[in-house]
């Protein structure tokens, strides 16, 4: 049976809303549930000079049997390693056609899957801040734990609402822990106060 994409479901919903499909016709072709959901994603990493090296553990729940393709999209990042660490049936990670550097998790059986992704991204810098900015697969909830080996790190005001700071005794820096909810992008930036004159 053909597995409908989100775009197809959306188009059918529009056709029903404008009256081109009756509620009975729309109900007969639109699946009552989405076939999969990304339940959570945990990102951990460390800033080294001007590069952030990160690892993501993505938990995917496939809700019904039948082949599905789940995009594992990380924009503005270079994927260096992909591994399917938990699967319940036949599953594969394949390149996403037409999207260089992007991948799909394909599987035919419902259950919980875990994918480990290692990637790196350059720090975003402007006149006031430096930080990490990259697109992520939208999950029900995502978290980021990032070691920043800088002294006197000051977060942007908007970032203070959802980011905790923990001192990092090893490097004299901080670990920033961000609660990202259902975000589609990580945009975490900070500044460092200039050292006092000697």
């Amino acid at each position: 049976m053909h597995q409908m994409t989100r775009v197809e479901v959306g188009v059918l919903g529009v056709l029903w809303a404008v009256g081109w499909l009756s509620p009975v016709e729309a109900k007969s072709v639109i699946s009552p549930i989405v076939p999969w959901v990304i339940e959570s994603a945990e990102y951990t990493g460390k800033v080294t000079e001007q590069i952030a090296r990160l690892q993501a553990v993505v938990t995917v729940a496939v809700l019904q049997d039948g082949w599905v393709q789940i995009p594992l999209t990380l924009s503005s990042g270079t994927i260096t390693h992909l591994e399917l660490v938990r699967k319940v049936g036949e599953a594969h990670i394949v390149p996403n056609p037409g999207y260089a550097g992007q991948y799909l998790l394909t599987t035919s059986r419902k259950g919980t899957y875990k994918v480990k992704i290692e990637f790196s991204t350059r720090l975003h810098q402007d006149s006031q801040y430096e930080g990490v900015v990259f697109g992520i697969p939208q999950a029900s909830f995502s978290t980021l734990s990032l070691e920043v080996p800088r002294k006197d790190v000051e977060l942007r005001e908007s970032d203070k609402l959802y980011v905790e700071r923990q001192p990092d005794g090893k490097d004299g820096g901080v670990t920033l822990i961000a609660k990202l909810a259902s975000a589609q992008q990580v945009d975490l930036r900070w500044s460092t106060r200039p050292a006092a004159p000697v």
Side-chain angles (χ1 to χ4, degrees), residues 63-151:
L63 306 174
Q64 58 192 31
D65 289 330
W67 281 102
V68 292
Q69 295 183 327
I70 298 112
L72 303 170
T73 304
L74 284 163
S75 60
S76 302
T78 300
I79 295 175
T80 55
H81 180 74
L82 270 172
E83 183 181 353
L84 189 54
V85 293
R86 180 176 181 216
K87 62 181 182 175
V88 293
E90 186 178 359
H92 308 278
I93 296 174
V94 297
N96 192 348
Y99 297 91
Q102 301 299 329
Y103 295 86
L104 298 166
L105 167 63
T106 64
T107 183
S108 62
R109 194 168 155 201
K110 67 181 179 182
T112 302
Y113 299 79
K114 280 188 187 283
V115 181
K116 183 168 77 172
I117 308 169
E118 294 176 9
F119 64 103
S120 57
T121 184
R122 293 187 64 81
L123 289 188
H124 179 87
Q125 293 178 310
D126 58 32
S127 59
Q128 290 183 295
Y129 298 101
E130 68 177 0
V132 288
V133 180
F134 55 92
I136 59 176
Q138 187 172 20
S140 298
F141 201 86
S142 298
T143 58
L144 168 69
S145 177
L146 183 67
E147 294 179 32
V148 181
R150 310 270 200 268
K151 294 183 179 179

Side-chain angles (χ1 to χ4, degrees), residues 46 147 149-151 168-173:
K46 182 173 183 177
E147 294 179 32
R150 310 270 200 268
K151 294 183 179 179
D168 183 0
K170 299 177 293 185
D171 299 319

